[in-house]
Amino acid sequence: MCGIVAYIGKKDAFPIIINGLKRLEYRGYDSAGVALYNSGVNVYKCKGKVSDLEEHTLQSDTSGTLGIGHTRWATHGEPNDINAHPHSSQGGYFTLIHNGIIENYGVLRRRLEKRGYNFVSETDTEVLVNLIEYIYLKGQVSPEIAVRLALSKVVGAFGLAVLCKDDPDLLIGARRGSPLVIGVGNKEYFLASDATPIVEHTNSVIFMNDDDVAIIRRGELSLKTISNHPLEPKIQTIDLDIEEIEKGGFDHFMLKEIYEQPRSIKDTFRGRLSSDLQEIHLGGLYNVLPRLVEAKRIILIGCGTSWHAGLLGEYLIEDLARIPVEVEYASEFRYRNPVIYPDDVVIAISQSGETADTLAAIKLAKSQGALVLGICNVVGSSIPRETHAGVYTHAGPEIGVASTKAFTAQVTVLAMMAILLGKRKKTITNEHASQLISELSSVPEKIEKILLLNEKIEGIAERFKDSTNFLYLGRGYFFPVALEGALKLKEISYIHAEGYPAAEMKHGPIALIDDKMPVVVIAAKDSSYDKVVSNVQEVKARKGVVIAIVSEGDTTISGMSDYSIEIPGIHEAMEGLLAVVPLQLLAYHIALMRGCNVDQPRNLAKSVTVE
Ligand code: AGP
């Protein structure tokens, strides 16, 4: 998720673009760049924040009334000056900024290489700008046609803006899957990923739809589809304030990120689940897959929510690939002198990629000769650089300190790894694997359904906002989810909460239960359902107040519970991805009702960079 801004008009484009990029930095902040048309296209870009770009251009000629700018959240190619946007084509005819993921960039790149194109960056975006140039020169067509033809060959998501050196009065914008907004001013136009860079200049905007292309000349806009059908621009007047837009109209980043999960999970398996849902491709593991398949033991390490994702990963990998898995708190693993064998595979899980405990554990494992892989959300951060290989979650920037969409993206990657290993080790049949892949691909729409229960969950939160303790219970795949639900409540509402294996309750925690103890039981229909029924009876026998997460149409446990929240049915191995969402919302609403700062809870940091 990057931020893009463009301007064409009478004013100096550079200050407009720089201010706009600063507004979009919540979307990505690892490198930035601008291209300005002033007797040719001048490109300035560098690693770091927009303020670093300002520093970088202090001595440069930044004049020009046509320009494009980009703040990056790396997906392909780590953050550095070369991978930063804008990218220019080999002959310099086109310069482009892009937000999204080109899934078939590998195929397109190889075709262009055969036609004499060389690539300077690792990005998917450079492939697109060269494809546009190739069509422009080969086809002798207009810049607009070259852009549309190139986009018709692209698989994936894009929001983009393009300059052509042969036309000082032309700005082209296009989108599919990633957002793009046109700002309509007085004889000037703006393009941006959302309205935040635009509203200080005009409230008249056009929200582009998928496959729309905007051809903007000075004072003139035409809108059409990639396949050349003319469109009537629908200008809307917006009166949203900046902060509201950054949060996408949500009150907090945490709520926005909870609602982003259908998209972030889709982006995490974008280009990795084959279109026929038969295969899984994890390019980042390609070179190490044989060693992973032969691993005698896998050790998952992480902290906090990432550790909980690891626990779900243990259940998935042991269940589907039959490889022994251990899950370690990175901080404990680091100092307890663990036994690590050279044929062990250690997988470090981290949203930020900068957690000191996890980094230290990685270095220890490497020093013992283990293959060390990473699952991380920040391209180019320390953990991906320290590990031998890995898989990026594509959840986009996670601003709320309480991790939500990164958790479900991590579990999505672990599920893909477990299915891939199970297929390679033939511990699951191809039929079972494709059933699991299609179940996984159904998760986004099922989460959409759960999000419709937000108001109901808010009502339940109202009942419990003054509680002082909470117990979360789950069995099997739901035990790690119980731990995660408890952590979410603890870290943002400051209520003491514990997650427990449901069966473990009667070995102690049951002593805590009385009519003041809320007990969240995650009890969707699966192989341990009947056992959970008796656990709920044990809680009710002590007058505990039960909030149950149940499957749609459940009557037994919902009949015994004080409150129940239904989630759609899904294969047992994927149910953790659904059941955690109501728990995220419950914690969010309770914290809000207690007046807590849900995005920046006390005593916590988004990335813990000290041991
Ligand atoms: C989770 O909501 C917390 N922010 C925290 O527990 C976090 O998961 C932990 O610090 C690990 O961070 P990482 O995933 O960035 O390594």
Side-chain angles (χ1 to χ4, degrees):
M1 189 163 102
C2 307
I4 68 177
V5 180
Y7 173 79
I8 181 166
K10 296 194 172 3
K11 304 191 189 94
D12 250 353
F14 185 67
I16 292 172
I17 291 171
I18 289 293
N19 289 341
L21 289 178
K22 284 183 179 161
R23 293 231 175 280
L24 292 177
E25 256 184 330
Y26 72 92
R27 301 176 62 86
Y29 37 75
D30 61 39
S31 53
V34 61
L36 299 158
Y37 201 108
N38 180 17
S39 53
V41 178
N42 304 314
V43 176
Y44 309 107
K45 58 182 183 174
C46 63
K47 183 170 188 263
K49 303 192 72 157
V50 177
S51 52
D52 299 307
L53 176 64
E54 282 182 296
E55 189 77 25
H56 177 75
T57 53
L58 278 178
Q59 309 310 323
S60 314
D61 168 10
T62 55
S63 54
T65 57
L66 166 59
I68 58 178
H70 185 273
T71 178
R72 185 171 187 236
W73 178 262
T75 57
H76 293 81
E78 66 174 64
N80 58 30
D81 295 357
I82 295 169
N83 291 333
H85 295 214
H87 287 280
S88 296
S89 54
Q90 182 165 282
Y93 284 89
F94 291 91
T95 300
L96 179 144
I97 50 176
H98 166 230
N99 166 33
I101 298 173
I102 310 276
E103 291 172 33
N104 60 338
Y105 82 103
V107 180
L108 296 172
R109 179 175 173 142
R110 286 188 286 282
R111 282 196 206 137
L112 287 165
E113 281 166 343
K114 286 205 189 88
R115 290 164 176 75
Y117 275 85
N118 302 310
F119 291 83
V120 294
S121 80
E122 303 153 82
T123 65
D124 50 344
T125 306
E126 190 189 1
V127 175
L128 176 56
V129 75
N130 276 318
L131 178 63
I132 295 170
E133 179 180 281
Y134 174 74
I135 295 169
Y136 178 68
L137 298 175
K138 195 85 181 148
Q140 292 300 305
V141 293
S142 72
E144 174 216 322
I145 293 174
V147 170
R148 284 194 293 103
L149 288 177
L151 293 177
S152 66
K153 299 185 184 326
V154 159
V155 178
F158 53 81
L160 54 85
V162 193
L163 298 181
C164 175
K165 81 169 181 183
D166 291 347
D167 192 331
D169 302 322
L170 176 64
L171 170 64
I172 298 176
R175 73 150 289 183
R176 181 192 296 151
S178 301
L180 197 61
V181 184
I182 303 170
V184 183
N186 176 12
K187 294 201 172 21
E188 57 183 7
Y189 289 94
F190 308 80
L191 284 174
S193 300
D194 67 34
T196 48
I198 293 173
V199 284
E200 62 192 281
H201 305 284
T202 172
N203 281 351
S204 305
V205 298
I206 300 165
F207 290 99
M208 294 174 72
N209 297 313
D210 276 353
D211 289 346
D212 284 6
V213 179
I215 298 100
I216 308 175
R217 297 193 161 286
R218 294 187 185 281
E220 182 199 314
L221 160 73
S222 77
L223 209 53
K224 56 177 64 180
T225 66
I226 286 174
S227 46
N228 205 17
H229 297 297
L231 295 166
E232 190 51 44
K234 290 194 194 62
I235 300 181
Q236 294 172 253
T237 304
I238 51 167
D239 60 1
L240 283 176
D241 73 29
I242 299 280
E243 201 187 317
E244 262 180 289
I245 301 170
E246 278 174 358
K247 293 186 179 118
F250 290 93
D251 293 341
H252 299 94
F253 280 111
M254 182 182 177
L255 188 63
K256 175 179 176 251
E257 287 153 8
I258 291 172
Y259 272 77
E260 279 179 347
Q261 291 179 106
R263 185 194 54 73
S264 54
I265 290 171
K266 252 192 224 140
D267 282 350
T268 298
F269 56 56
R270 188 186 288 278
R272 292 165 168 174
L273 301 187
S274 62
S275 49
D276 60 3
L277 299 182
Q278 297 301 315
E279 292 300 334
I280 288 184
H281 309 289
L282 295 174
L285 298 180
Y286 191 73
N287 299 332
V288 297
L289 204 52
R291 224 175 132 185
L292 194 47
V293 170
E294 293 315 314
K296 296 274 179 309
R297 178 175 64 157
I298 292 177
I299 303 172
L300 299 169
I301 55 175
C303 304
T305 287
S306 295
W307 185 83
H308 293 151
L311 206 52
L312 257 169
E314 175 186 32
Y315 283 62
L316 283 158
I317 294 169
E318 290 202 347
D319 185 4
L320 304 177
R322 311 308 292 152
I323 300 173
V325 175
E326 286 174 21
V327 185
E328 298 274 353
Y329 281 115
S331 51
E332 283 303 307
F333 184 75
R334 166 80 182 75
Y335 288 105
R336 72 173 179 78
N337 190 20
V339 177
I340 305 170
Y341 299 113
D343 57 8
D344 281 337
V345 173
V346 172
I347 304 179
I349 305 170
S350 174
Q351 186 287 126
S352 62
E354 301 297 348
T355 301
D357 290 324
T358 308
L359 260 174
I362 288 169
K363 292 185 178 133
L364 173 73
K366 282 173 73 179
S367 69
Q368 312 279 318
L371 171 69
V372 182
L373 309 177
I375 296 175
C376 186
N377 194 46
V378 181
V379 173
S381 56
S382 306
I383 287 177
R385 275 189 275 121
E386 195 63 42
T387 47
H388 295 116
V391 182
Y392 284 117
T393 52
H394 289 309
E398 190 174 66
I399 311 289
V401 167
S403 184
T404 52
K405 63 176 181 174
F407 174 73
T408 47
Q410 288 162 348
V411 175
T412 300
V413 167
L414 288 159
M416 291 193 283
M417 285 174 86
I419 298 167
L420 179 63
L421 291 174
K423 273 180 75 87
R424 289 298 175 93
K425 292 177 73 70
K426 301 200 174 355
T427 48
I428 55 175
T429 62
N430 287 346
E431 294 65 42
H432 188 192
S434 53
Q435 183 215 356
L436 287 165
I437 295 172
S438 76
E439 291 280 298
L440 180 60
S441 65
S442 75
V443 167
E445 83 216 36
K446 287 178 176 163
I447 291 182
E448 296 276 11
K449 246 181 129 197
I450 295 169
L451 293 170
L452 299 174
L453 302 172
N454 184 33
E455 259 171 62
K456 174 180 180 175
I457 296 168
E458 186 175 4
I460 296 172
E462 175 66 37
R463 162 76 178 72
F464 295 101
K465 66 180 187 311
D466 302 320
S467 302
T468 52
N469 293 286
F470 259 79
L471 205 53
Y472 288 73
L473 302 177
R475 274 177 181 258
Y477 282 104
F478 289 139
F479 165 48
V481 177
L483 294 173
E484 178 56 12
L487 176 63
K488 287 287 94 76
L489 189 71
K490 274 185 276 204
E491 65 180 322
I492 63 173
S493 76
Y494 320 143
I495 295 175
H496 175 250
E498 279 193 81
Y500 255 87
E504 196 48 30
M505 179 190 57
K506 49 186 178 295
H507 302 288
I510 196 165
L512 297 170
I513 295 180
D514 58 18
D515 58 1
K516 294 181 197 51
M517 174 61 87
V519 181
V520 177
V521 181
I522 306 143
K525 280 263 169 31
D526 65 12
S527 55
S528 59
Y529 181 79
D530 298 341
K531 296 274 184 288
V532 179
V533 170
S534 20
N535 296 136
V536 173
Q537 285 162 340
E538 289 153 8
V539 171
K540 290 310 297 174
R542 278 96 185 152
K543 302 199 173 11
V545 186
V546 173
I547 304 158
I549 310 294
V550 296
S551 298
E552 278 167 357
D554 176 284
T555 52
T556 312
I557 289 189
S558 52
M560 300 156 62
S561 307
D562 303 82
Y563 301 87
S564 61
I565 301 165
E566 293 192 345
I567 60 173
I570 196 166
H571 187 284
E572 190 162 346
M574 304 303 161
E575 59 194 355
L577 283 164
L578 302 187
V580 74
V581 177
L583 305 185
Q584 296 165 343
L585 288 168
L586 184 66
Y588 169 79
H589 287 298
I590 289 176
L592 206 55
M593 291 167 187
R594 292 165 69 91
C596 303
N597 180 338
V598 292
D599 279 344
Q600 281 150 354
R602 70 187 185 196
N603 309 342
L604 288 177
K606 182 62 188 168
S607 177
V608 183
T609 53
V610 290
E611 280 197 50

